[in-house]
Amino acid sequence: MVSQHQSLRDRQVASIEKILNLNHVASDSTNSNNSVHDHPSANGLIPESAPILNSDGNPIWKVLVFDDLGRDVISSVLRVNDLRGWGVTIHLHINSKRHPIPDVPVLYLVEPTAKNLQLINQDLSQGLYSDAYINFLYSISRPFMEDFAAQIASSGTSEGISQVFDQYLNFVVSEPDLFSLAMGKETYWSLNSAHTKDEDLDAIIERVVIGLFSVAVTMGAIPIIRCPRAGAAEMIAAKLDRKLRDHILNSKDNLFSTQKSSSGAANASRPVLIILDRSIDLIPMLSHSWTYQSLVSDVLKMHLNRITVETPIDESNPSRGQTKRAYDLNSNDFFWTRNSGVPFPQVAEDIDVELTKYKEEASELTRKTGASSLEDLQNDTSASAQHLKAAITQLPALRERKATLDMHMNIATSLLKGIKDRQLDNFFQIEENITKQNKSQILELLNDDAKGKEPLDKLRLFIIWFLSTEQEISRAEMDRFEDSLTRAGVGESISALTYVKTVREVTRMTMMTSVPTQQNPPPSASGDIFRGFSSISNRLTDRLKDAGGLGANFENLISGVKNFLPVNKDFTITKITESLMDPASASSSAIAKTENYLYFDPRNSNARGTMPNASQTRQTGGNGTPTGVSSDGRGVQASFGQRRQGFSDAIVFTVGGGSMDEYGNLQEWAQRTSAAGGASGGAASAGRKRVVYGSTDLVNAEDFVTGELARLGRESR
């Protein structure tokens, strides 16, 4: 029997639901292999089965208490209604003022920190709740556990604790196969700054190792680990290798004990974990993308799948001003799930298609019932009972679809305004052919006041060109570029160039970008894609006005925005992933870059070697050059067979920040490769590829430039 593939999100939702069910396996999954959660949470909905019942046959209602990370973990995959479906009536932050609810049990989902342990003991001492079900987001250390036990013994509250579990959920899942460790937007700075203390570096490395261990546990597989030599990536790989190996050897019934380590099938199904330093390619952190999810992240500053959009208070009377509305974008949203990774003009076209479909279905429903509109159905008593029953059944789904489409129309309107104000279509088009731009063209763009209202866009484009071009740039020419950027208004962010200049040569040595061969090239700017914007302009405006929607200024927004498909181009990390997952199809240049990547197999019981000190984890020295950390036997040089080993599944992790654009590029490669393998009906290595992308945190371009590159530049002066 072939098991259904589960995304990382599916698995995390299953684990959270088990916690909400007091660590009992949900009744709808007890008959599946290893209680795997594949239905119905694959679509983001709660199971139809009720939460566990008490002795009287009533649901067990409970209070959920979380810290910052626990809140982020839950809010990224579940809604308030989902929590209520599992019996959670109130959810509170552990640091907030909480009143006693003595007859209700409490679920804690927190990090095992000294402060959190103290607060839990305080709750128990005050008798705020009945039974306590304590769930730590990752394994609590022995000293902390002993200290917590001493606190409980001292306060005499041990009877109030029903459960204590390590849950291995200290990562935030934003998309089905996208996660971050929520380590903040300064990790790249911390790893590269000479001001960071060794103990702080140790803490960063340890937190990454713990997070990746939790991801491996949630995915239920021990990965093969590959990484380049030197830098934080090697240090993390070595420590994670030891942590996984020690867990396997020292735990008889370990977290991976269901796997058959001796079977060839099990080894073939193991994923490869590729750990990479952010400095290997900075361009995806700065680029202007044309896909829906990347534009939402760049223009609307999406965080934890939530965005804020300004909409008119009264569409018919713009003088009344704007109001802010918050939206959640997740896998419950059918439109986002289908369109998040596609070019924006296609999104506009799909909105048109979906609204047409909605209007046809709504018209058919009202025609059958004889009502004049959907709103009149509730008050209409003249329609036949049969038609009313059908209408009542279909009406909630239709209204939910309409609300989703209205939301995406609001988002599209905000995006179009941002695109037009900042001329993002022009910046994207230039970046698509960045290596063809000469110095005079770049200088002319920097000096053109009409090129967008956001100076930082010019700085981002210049850094991309500076890292990509083969042209030699003299000091006098660099001064002219910097003067132009200063006049453009980039302010203190100009110091980012000071740091970029120090790492330019190293980064250019590791960068790889190519355009894959395609049998069916995408249509040109003048082809079918043009109807994406033209259709939404010509056909939606009137309809939205009739529906009380957004249409008043939509046509004006669309005018002047360019319509084109992006070049199908693989980023550096995508090429590295291809060379390690599918070496038979990878380019010789990509294979040459990864030929010397270290190879760690935690199942191998050979000697583990030694660990370097924290100062060796720094990615660059004071002059911006690699420190050259030696392996010291922690990883081995891959044999020829290991270098040519193919994988169906991969986890790609970047140390120092991740990019939504990079995630989309990896998913597009996986889909393209899987489609090619399916069409050829070939070998397993050419079969379906699945890539999970993760990072220390997802960082948008503005935060990366102003908060990290500019800060490093100021320090290196």
Side-chain angles (χ1 to χ4, degrees), residues 124-186:
L124 293 169
S125 300
Q126 295 175 354
L128 293 187
Y129 314 103
S130 59
D131 298 324
Y133 296 80
I134 303 171
N135 298 274
F136 295 123
L137 286 164
Y138 51 90
S139 180
I140 184 172
S141 65
R142 186 178 184 88
F144 274 23
M145 192 64 191
E146 291 176 350
D147 182 62
F148 183 52
Q151 292 182 44
I152 296 300
S154 176
S155 60
T157 55
S158 59
E159 292 184 359
I161 299 177
S162 292
Q163 294 177 352
V164 179
F165 275 91
D166 294 330
Q167 295 293 352
Y168 303 99
L169 290 173
N170 54 316
F171 56 93
V172 176
V173 179
S174 304
E175 295 286 327
D177 289 310
L178 171 67
F179 74 93
S180 78
L181 301 185
M183 293 178 60
K185 303 182 185 304
E186 294 186 347

Side-chain angles (χ1 to χ4, degrees), residues 435 437 465-473 504 508:
T435 56
Q437 307 297 315
W465 175 78
F466 181 62
L467 293 174
S468 304
T469 185
E470 298 293 333
Q471 304 171 56
E472 293 299 325
I473 302 172
R504 183 190 185 209
R508 288 173 63 185

Side-chain angles (χ1 to χ4, degrees), residues 300 308-313 321-327 410-411 413-414 417 550:
L300 302 179
T308 301
V309 174
E310 288 191 352
T311 59
I313 295 175
Q322 304 275 326
T323 183
K324 290 185 177 181
R325 300 186 65 178
Y327 294 124
N410 282 326
I411 295 171
T413 302
S414 293
K417 188 176 185 303
L550 310 163

Side-chain angles (χ1 to χ4, degrees), residues 628-660:
V629 181
S630 61
S631 296
D632 292 333
R634 288 169 287 120
V636 300
Q637 181 68 41
S639 66
F640 179 82
Q642 290 168 338
R643 292 197 302 269
R644 297 298 179 265
Q645 179 182 357
F647 295 90
S648 297
D649 297 270
I651 307 165
V652 181
F653 186 84
T654 56
V655 184
S659 157
M660 189 67 79

Side-chain angles (χ1 to χ4, degrees), residues 27-74:
S27 59
D28 65 326
S29 60
T30 51
N31 295 326
S32 61
N33 290 335
N34 301 324
S35 300
V36 170
H37 180 278
D38 46 43
H39 180 80
S41 72
N43 61 6
L45 301 177
I46 59 172
E48 295 179 1
S49 60
I52 60 173
L53 307 178
N54 59 21
S55 57
D56 298 325
N58 298 316
I60 298 178
W61 304 109
K62 36 194 126 48
V63 175
L64 173 63
V65 175
F66 43 61
D67 58 5
D68 288 343
L69 184 56
R71 175 199 60 208
D72 293 347
V73 167
I74 291 180

Side-chain angles (χ1 to χ4, degrees), residues 295-347:
L295 280 170
V296 167
S297 178
D298 188 3
V299 178
L300 302 179
K301 305 295 186 288
M302 180 169 64
H303 179 63
L304 295 176
N305 288 11
R306 171 158 284 210
I307 58 174
T308 301
V309 174
E310 288 191 352
T311 59
I313 295 175
D314 185 351
E315 184 70 28
S316 60
N317 185 11
S319 62
R320 293 190 59 188
Q322 304 275 326
T323 183
K324 290 185 177 181
R325 300 186 65 178
Y327 294 124
D328 290 314
L329 298 170
N330 50 48
S331 59
N332 301 318
D333 182 339
F334 77 95
F335 191 87
W336 177 255
T337 301
R338 191 169 66 206
N339 289 287
S340 59
V342 305
F344 187 55
Q346 290 183 347
V347 175

Side-chain angles (χ1 to χ4, degrees), residues 482-556:
E482 292 184 15
D483 289 342
S484 296
L485 285 166
T486 301
R487 287 195 302 272
V490 298
E492 293 185 358
S493 298
I494 192 68
S495 59
L497 290 179
T498 305
Y499 177 75
V500 171
K501 283 186 283 188
T502 66
V503 299
R504 183 190 185 209
E505 293 305 317
V506 175
T507 301
R508 288 173 63 185
M509 287 171 58
T510 55
M511 283 170 47
M512 297 179 288
T513 305
S514 66
V515 181
T517 303
Q518 299 182 46
Q519 296 178 347
N520 300 312
S524 64
S526 60
D528 292 340
I529 193 61
F530 187 79
R531 72 171 181 262
F533 280 159
S534 63
S535 63
I536 202 170
S537 174
N538 297 333
R539 290 185 282 167
L540 291 188
T541 303
D542 292 338
R543 182 182 308 155
L544 290 169
K545 286 178 181 177
D546 294 339
L550 310 163
N553 299 313
F554 208 79
E555 191 167 359
N556 291 332

Side-chain angles (χ1 to χ4, degrees), residues 281-416:
D281 186 15
L282 297 179
I283 288 178
M285 302 297 293
L286 307 167
S287 60
H288 296 87
S289 181
W290 201 232
T291 62
Y292 194 26
Q293 61 187 2
S294 295
L295 280 170
V296 167
S297 178
D298 188 3
V299 178
L300 302 179
K301 305 295 186 288
M302 180 169 64
H303 179 63
L304 295 176
N305 288 11
R306 171 158 284 210
I307 58 174
T308 301
V309 174
E310 288 191 352
T311 59
I313 295 175
D314 185 351
E315 184 70 28
S316 60
N317 185 11
S319 62
R320 293 190 59 188
Q322 304 275 326
T323 183
K324 290 185 177 181
R325 300 186 65 178
Y327 294 124
D328 290 314
L329 298 170
N330 50 48
S331 59
N332 301 318
D333 182 339
F334 77 95
F335 191 87
W336 177 255
T337 301
R338 191 169 66 206
N339 289 287
S340 59
V342 305
F344 187 55
Q346 290 183 347
V347 175
E349 183 178 353
D350 200 40
I351 291 177
D352 180 43
V353 171
E354 285 296 328
L355 281 172
T356 300
K357 181 179 177 182
Y358 163 79
K359 185 177 181 181
E360 291 173 351
E361 293 182 12
S363 297
E364 178 66 15
L365 193 61
T366 55
R367 184 186 63 80
K368 287 182 178 180
T369 58
S372 58
S373 68
L374 291 181
E375 287 72 20
D376 293 336
L377 279 175
Q378 291 180 339
N379 303 320
D380 191 353
T381 57
S382 61
S384 67
Q386 182 179 0
H387 287 153
L388 277 177
K389 182 179 179 181
I392 291 171
T393 303
Q394 299 175 39
L395 196 56
L398 274 176
R399 283 182 168 169
E400 186 174 350
R401 256 173 58 201
K402 181 60 166 57
T404 298
L405 294 174
D406 284 346
M407 176 183 75
H408 285 281
M409 284 302 303
N410 282 326
I411 295 171
T413 302
S414 293
L415 288 181
L416 280 166

